[in-house]
Amino acid sequence: MLRVAAVSYLNTLPFIFGLQQSPLQFELQLHYPSRLLDIFKNNECDIALLPIAALKLIPDAQVITNYCIGCNGAVASVILAGNCNMDDAQSILLDYQSTTSIQLTQLLIRDYFKLNKKFEPALPGYELQFDKNKSLALIIGDRALQLKNQFSLIYDLGELWKLHTRLPFAFAVWVCKPGLDDKMINAFNNALAFGVYNIKAAIASSKQYEIDEAEATHYLTANINYHLDENKRKAISLFLKSI
């Protein structure tokens, strides 16, 4: 049975739906991004939706499929949030669930804003407890969508990357280790494709998320872009060279 590890956020819903509708026999594990690296390194899965920052740490990881978790501008679910602007922020809290977005935050503050900031690792619950008037917090995933109205100022990292590079971005890609059968990879890719092209059906069938259908549809179709195209591959290469 194929062991699949993916992100436990709403943005993977089309992928999960596609797999569930396919004839593939699979065991699914859902985790936040920073956990997936260890799962893949420890051979606890055959295929993983791996944060792109982890590609530097696993040289034998083989990027597969035509799909990713990406954006072409504002992504909505990867944000720096608070009640102070970037210049006035005394520190930046870094989401413990993140891998790629931490590196992207540091890159953008260094190269786009051209500032030096104090970065602090954040513990669970930080997004509800930090001093919004003195700090900005990196918040990713569904919590970013749920909490966005609690802050007076939000920097969207997908939008900032596009302003900085004029490129889209890919936060996570599907990878396997060498040796996985090509037929299995093709079948997996086809399953993902079915989900990506049937997002409304995926949302309608979901029992995992308590979501507003209109908001979810807008997020998964207007903010998230699933196609791993040439420009996203260029963005991945640029990002990995820059961190």
Side-chain angles (χ1 to χ4, degrees):
M1 181 177 291
L2 190 67
R3 298 172 303 162
V4 179
V7 177
S8 57
Y9 298 152
L10 173 60
N11 55 31
T12 59
L13 178 59
F15 291 152
I16 295 169
F17 177 73
L19 289 169
Q20 291 171 337
Q21 303 306 308
S22 78
L24 285 171
Q25 297 294 312
F26 67 95
E27 173 189 293
L28 180 65
Q29 306 175 54
L30 295 175
H31 303 277
Y32 50 78
S34 59
R35 281 280 294 119
L36 292 177
L37 174 59
D38 288 337
I39 289 168
F40 187 76
K41 286 174 66 176
N42 294 334
N43 295 313
E44 297 173 20
C45 64
D46 303 302
I47 295 176
L49 185 59
L50 208 64
I52 65 165
L55 297 178
K56 270 197 165 184
L57 305 175
I58 311 178
D60 65 341
Q62 178 184 345
V63 177
I64 58 173
T65 85
N66 300 322
Y67 301 98
C68 65
I69 299 294
C71 64
N72 190 11
V75 67
S77 55
V78 183
I79 61 174
L80 284 170
N83 294 339
C84 59
N85 62 35
M86 183 65 70
D87 287 332
D88 295 334
Q90 296 178 12
S91 62
I92 309 294
L93 303 181
L94 300 175
D95 195 334
Y96 67 95
Q97 295 191 10
S98 172
T99 300
T100 294
S101 299
I102 287 176
Q103 299 273 15
L104 181 58
T105 296
Q106 295 171 331
L107 183 159
L108 288 169
I109 290 175
R110 181 192 72 205
D111 296 344
Y112 179 72
F113 290 102
K114 300 188 183 304
L115 295 171
N116 291 316
K117 290 293 177 182
K118 179 182 179 182
F119 297 104
E120 298 181 358
L123 298 174
Y126 75 99
E127 66 273 16
L128 301 176
Q129 300 170 351
F130 76 100
D131 188 338
K132 303 173 188 177
N133 296 317
K134 295 182 178 180
S135 300
L136 292 172
L138 170 65
I139 307 174
I140 71 169
D142 297 353
R143 292 166 304 146
L145 299 174
Q146 295 159 358
L147 298 174
K148 62 184 179 182
N149 294 327
Q150 297 187 21
F151 306 98
S152 62
L153 196 152
I154 287 177
Y155 296 95
D156 186 296
L157 267 63
E159 185 175 34
L160 293 178
W161 172 264
K162 183 72 180 285
L163 290 170
H164 180 50
T165 66
R166 299 185 181 179
L167 289 170
F169 195 71
F171 289 92
V173 293
W174 290 102
V175 303
C176 72
K177 294 185 177 179
L180 191 64
D181 182 77
D182 286 344
K183 290 183 179 179
M184 181 66 73
I185 293 174
N186 289 335
F188 188 81
N189 185 74
N190 291 337
L192 301 183
F194 183 86
V196 169
Y197 287 104
N198 290 276
I199 287 176
K200 288 187 177 180
I203 294 170
S205 70
S206 175
K207 297 179 181 178
Q208 183 178 354
Y209 305 96
E210 295 182 6
I211 51 179
D212 177 270
E213 186 170 343
E215 290 183 3
T217 300
H218 182 270
Y219 169 61
L220 296 179
T221 57
N223 295 118
I224 301 298
N225 188 293
Y226 291 101
H227 297 278
L228 185 56
D229 57 21
E230 181 180 353
N231 281 333
K232 288 197 188 70
R233 293 180 186 274
K234 288 180 181 178
I236 292 171
S237 178
L238 176 60
F239 174 77
L240 293 176
K241 289 176 182 177
S242 301
I243 60 175

